[in-house]
């Protein structure tokens, strides 16, 4: 569950101005405006260019700026001493009240940004003037399959082309200068309720895209398509399929042993199994490994999808894959046998940290389950894991096995609801965190909230509908508490600055609500973030002191970016 109805996206122009593109929809027959820069935007963008992004910090060429997805900008023209002078430079109306969650990309003076219903705009990054617009015309009825609004988190750039994934499962290649489609392919089984809300990545000439839909019943997978031709090169399934058929590869053969039918009428492969990789990815060019976060099971409750128990690989896991083939090199499962919608699709960051006097090449994640993980990204071995928020479902992580130490009451059965922290919205959802190598801190948009889980008396799988928990029983429990004057506490939101080496919080800022924006941090000693209350602010990255803010009158979830022009 990962969205909210909001009204804009935001970006910070690090050149002494503040820029806010406000969000919306294209009008039928809308014509492109005046052409932008004469050069083919993004013509030079390839793997080497993205890997060397710090050599040209004035652009934002990939979803997390670099393959490491740190969301750290080396730009320092705006800093702690002059950030108070920030003001609005321009705004772009997208005319929508639906969710906007995109990270804009900027190359050669052109900004590429998406909105609701997978619509895409190319804007003059200096003025905000529209250069061209593209509407993939997602069928309106497909919105029923989007668990958390008809959102889109952005595009990928590669050799003068823009790659857009649509809500209804298509991948489109467009000319970056004109917006004219070069090809369009379907990436999903259209008889199943798949959706795509995440941004593609391009690695070694392959466009990588996952999917969503686990709540409704699908089998998750990551696909790799040839960036030039659109040909499917490989597909990595995140959960096993029909056990009466040969598994696709060794990874699926191993996963099959961790699932059980238990003699039920409804098999996991009929439900789909879930595990959809709907958001996070990162890439290490040195190790030549892609890292992907996977989602929850379908249905949520393991007793119903895998009655004999089991870890249910590769649900709620980080998987490391070879980019040429999709071969699994290692995996780490954050929540074995997930019962609580504790996805591991949250933001993945790669960094080099000195731990116990030794420089380690690590992967960091703060998934929904409330633990902050530091993992050796070459081997998948757990280095450390500590709670970054309140947790009731587990008391810690066993460092010998890497498994959570579960609270015996955490798993719920028929007639025995279980209240746990965090809930299915997670202690951290899709909104990206950021890492600042100057401070050594990770900045996490944290959610402190609880949830009552209740198991259905029996699986009532319905294709195309939510198949999660017993919300009817939950409704009765909540209403009963309200009638007794025991109104459930609302979720609280924080920005938490986390030391990943010491595994402790350094500072925090309380937000007005539980659902807030992603993070951006800069070499100017700043952290930028927005809130559900409409305020966008700059904080001291070392101390958390608020240095500047502006009231934008509408809540934010999208993360900011930085770029320079002239």
């Amino acid at each position: 569950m990962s969205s909210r109805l909001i009204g804009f996206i935001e970006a910070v122009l690090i050149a002494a101005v503040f820029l806010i593109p406000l969000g919306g929809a294209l009008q039928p027959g809308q014509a492109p405006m005046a052409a932008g820069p004469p050069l083919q935007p993004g013509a030079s963008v390839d793997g080497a260019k993205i890997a060397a992004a710090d050599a040209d910090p004035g652009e934002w060429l990939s979803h997390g700026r670099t393959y490491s997805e740190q969301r750290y900008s080396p730009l320092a023209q705006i800093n702690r001493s002059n950030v108070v002078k920030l003001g609005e430079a321009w705004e772009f109306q997208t005319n929508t009240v639906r969710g906007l969650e995109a990270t804009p990309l900027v190359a050669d003076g052109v900004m590429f940004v998406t909105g609701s219903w997978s619509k895409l705009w190319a804007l003059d990054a200096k003025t905000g003037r529209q250069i061209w617009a593209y509407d993939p015309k997602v069928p309106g009825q497909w919105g029923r399959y989007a668990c958390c609004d008809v959102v889109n988190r952005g595009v990928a750039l590669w050799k003068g082309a823009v790659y857009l994934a649509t809500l209804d499962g298509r991948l489109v290649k467009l000319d970056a200068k004109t917006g004219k489609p070069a090809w369009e392919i379907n990436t999903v089984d259209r008889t199943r309720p798949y959706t795509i809300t995440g941004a593609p990545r391009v690695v070694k000439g392959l466009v990588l895209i996952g999917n969503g839909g686990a709540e409704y019943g699908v089998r998750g997978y990551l696909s790799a398509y040839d960036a030039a031709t659109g040909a499917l090169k490989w597909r990595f399934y995140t959960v096993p399929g029909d056990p009466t058929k040969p598994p696709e590869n060794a990874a699926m053969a191993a996963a099959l042993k961790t699932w059980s039918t238990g003699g039920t009428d409804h098999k996991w492969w009929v439900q789909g199994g879930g595990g959809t990789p709907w958001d996070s990815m990162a890439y290490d060019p040195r190790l030549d490994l892609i890292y992907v976060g996977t989602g929850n099971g379908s249905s949520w409750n393991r007793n119903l999808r895998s009655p004999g128990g089991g870890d249910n690989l590769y649900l709620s896991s980080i998987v490391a894959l070879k980019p040429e083939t999709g071969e699994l090199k290692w995996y780490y499962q954050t929540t074995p046998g997930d019962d609580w919608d504790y996805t591991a699709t949250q933001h993945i960051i790669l960094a080099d940290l000195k731990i116990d006097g030794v420089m380690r090449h690590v992967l960091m994640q703060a998934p929904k389950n409330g633990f902050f993980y530091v993992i050796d990204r070459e081997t998948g071995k757990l280095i450390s894991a500590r709670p970054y928020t309140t947790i009731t479902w587990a008391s810690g992580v066993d460092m010998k096995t890497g498994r959570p130490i579960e609270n015996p009451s955490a798993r719920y059965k028929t007639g025995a609801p279980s209240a746990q922290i965090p809930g299915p919205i997670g202690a951290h959802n899709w909104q990206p965190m950021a890492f600042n190598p100057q401070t050594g801190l990770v900045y996490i948009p944290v959610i402190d909230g609880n949830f009552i889980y209740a198991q259905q008396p029996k699986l009532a799988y319905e294709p195309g509908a939510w198949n999660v928990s017993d919300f009817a029983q939950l409704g009765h429990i909540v209403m009963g508490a309200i009638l007794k004057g025991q109104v459930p506490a609302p979720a609280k939101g924080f920005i938490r600055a986390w030391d990943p080496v010491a595994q402790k919080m350094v500072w925090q800022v309380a937000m007005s609500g539980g659902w807030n924006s992603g993070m951006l941090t800069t070499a100017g000693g700043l952290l930028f973030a927005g809130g559900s209350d409409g305020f966008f602010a700059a904080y001291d990255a070392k101390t958390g002191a608020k240095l500047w803010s502006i009231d934008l009158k509408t809540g934010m979830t999208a993360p900011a970016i930085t770029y320079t022009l002239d």
Side-chain angles (χ1 to χ4, degrees):
M1 304 173 67
S2 61
S3 186
R4 190 179 198 176
L5 300 182
I6 58 172
F8 62 61
I9 52 176
E10 70 282 348
V12 177
L13 171 56
I14 300 299
V17 290
F18 170 52
L19 120 81
I20 317 160
L22 291 178
L26 302 176
Q27 301 303 314
Q30 183 175 356
M33 296 181 69
L39 299 177
Q40 179 74 12
S44 64
V45 178
D46 58 11
K49 181 88 168 178
I50 296 172
D54 286 353
D56 190 6
E59 299 191 319
W60 195 286
L61 304 178
S62 187
H63 188 62
R65 196 183 73 84
T66 61
Y67 278 135
S68 63
E69 301 269 329
Q70 292 184 3
R71 293 184 177 268
Y72 166 78
S73 171
L75 297 176
Q77 290 97 324
I78 291 179
N79 51 54
R80 287 187 290 264
S81 65
N82 63 16
V83 69
V84 295
K85 298 180 181 179
L86 275 181
E88 181 177 333
W90 55 259
E91 67 180 40
F92 175 75
Q93 295 286 343
T94 59
N95 303 315
T96 185
V97 295
R98 305 299 293 267
L100 295 175
E101 299 182 356
T103 295
L105 302 187
V106 177
D108 299 313
V110 179
M111 176 181 290
F112 302 93
V113 64
T114 59
S116 54
W117 295 106
S118 314
K119 293 170 182 176
L120 168 62
W121 297 272
L123 309 176
D124 184 319
K126 183 184 295 186
T127 65
R129 184 179 62 180
Q130 180 177 301
I131 299 170
W132 54 259
Y134 175 74
D135 182 354
K137 300 188 184 304
V138 174
Q141 65 268 27
W142 213 270
R144 75 181 70 175
Y145 302 138
C147 83
C148 315
D149 203 19
V150 292
V151 295
N152 186 280
R153 297 188 191 94
V155 295
L157 285 174
W158 191 263
K159 296 184 178 179
V162 185
Y163 296 87
L164 168 71
T166 69
L167 186 73
D168 59 335
R170 291 171 284 149
L171 182 65
V172 187
K173 177 182 179 180
L174 304 103
D175 183 281
K177 183 175 177 62
T178 66
K180 181 179 179 180
W183 48 252
E184 175 185 296
I185 55 176
N186 175 54
T187 73
V188 300
D189 177 354
R190 303 189 74 79
T191 68
R192 306 291 297 224
Y194 283 100
T195 54
I196 298 179
T197 56
R201 314 296 203 276
V202 187
V203 172
K204 303 184 83 169
L206 297 175
V207 186
L208 307 174
I209 191 63
N211 44 55
E215 284 77 16
Y216 297 83
V218 299
R219 184 187 183 195
Y221 55 81
L222 180 79
S223 301
Y225 294 89
D226 186 286
T229 67
L232 177 65
K233 290 300 184 180
W234 54 259
R235 177 164 287 168
F236 179 82
Y237 286 97
T238 57
V239 297
D242 188 341
T244 66
K245 299 177 180 179
E248 288 85 356
N249 49 43
M252 287 300 97
L256 193 58
K257 299 174 182 178
T258 68
W259 290 71
S260 170
T261 61
T264 59
D265 293 331
H266 299 284
K267 316 301 184 183
W268 80 77
W269 59 95
V270 175
Q271 300 175 57
T276 47
W278 50 264
D279 197 42
S280 59
M281 283 184 265
Y283 173 60
D284 184 339
R286 184 182 68 86
L287 295 175
D288 197 25
L289 288 176
I290 301 163
Y291 306 95
V292 183
T294 72
N296 55 281
S298 180
S299 63
W300 283 358
N301 187 271
R302 185 179 61 175
N303 291 335
L304 299 182
R305 71 171 182 265
S306 182
D311 287 350
N312 292 181
L313 295 173
Y314 298 94
L315 297 181
S316 303
S317 299
I318 299 165
V319 295
L321 309 174
K322 293 296 292 182
E324 290 90 353
T325 63
E327 175 192 359
L328 177 68
K329 299 302 292 183
W330 60 256
Y331 73 89
Y332 180 83
Q333 191 171 39
T334 58
T335 310
D338 175 37
D339 256 350
W340 309 275
D341 189 20
Y342 288 165
T343 66
T345 52
Q346 284 56 57
H347 192 197
I348 291 172
I349 289 177
L350 310 182
D352 295 339
L353 302 178
K354 183 172 285 189
I355 301 174
D356 296 329
V358 178
M359 189 62 70
R360 302 290 298 270
H361 307 299
V362 308
L363 175 154
M364 298 181 286
Q365 191 188 47
K368 278 187 182 182
N369 72 13
F371 288 102
F372 189 96
Y373 295 89
V374 179
I375 297 168
D376 186 303
R377 66 176 185 262
E378 183 170 6
T379 65
K381 181 177 174 58
L382 179 66
I383 296 173
S384 64
R386 293 292 301 274
Y388 62 90
T389 189
T390 302
I391 295 176
T392 61
W393 74 279
S395 60
V397 174
D398 187 323
M399 290 305 299
K400 291 183 179 179
T401 65
R403 299 175 68 89
I405 305 168
E406 291 185 17
N407 181 334
S409 67
R411 294 193 183 267
Y412 49 104
K413 300 178 181 179
T414 302
S418 176
Q420 297 299 330
I421 303 173
I425 202 170
H428 171 213
N429 209 282
W430 71 267
Q431 293 93 326
M433 59 188 190
F435 171 69
N436 189 317
Q438 290 183 334
T439 65
L441 300 178
V442 177
Y443 306 97
I444 315 169
V446 176
I447 306 166
D448 278 353
N450 59 66
F451 190 78
I452 302 171
Y453 294 90
Q455 179 177 298
Q456 297 168 326
K458 63 178 181 179
L459 178 65
Y461 171 65
E462 182 179 348
W466 271 56
N467 296 277
V468 286
S469 187
D470 190 345
F471 282 174
Q473 186 179 169
L474 170 61
H476 287 300
I477 293 170
V478 172
M479 184 56 68
I482 292 174
L483 293 175
K484 293 178 182 178
Q486 301 169 349
V487 180
K492 297 180 180 179
F494 300 89
I495 298 171
R496 288 200 173 121
W498 191 261
D499 183 333
V501 177
Q503 283 281 22
K504 67 178 184 180
M505 183 177 73
V506 175
W507 55 260
Q508 74 173 3
V509 172
M511 305 297 280
S512 64
W515 195 252
N516 302 291
S517 85
M519 305 283 111
L520 165 71
T521 187
T522 75
L526 300 172
L527 174 73
F528 288 94
S532 57
D533 58 0
F535 281 91
F536 183 68
Y539 302 89
D540 187 309
K542 289 184 178 179
T543 67
K546 184 184 289 188
L547 304 176
W548 166 88
S549 69
I550 187 171
D551 185 1
L552 298 178
K553 309 300 182 184
T554 186
M556 285 153 275
T557 58
I561 69 162
T562 66
Y563 62 92
T564 56
L565 285 172
D566 300 332

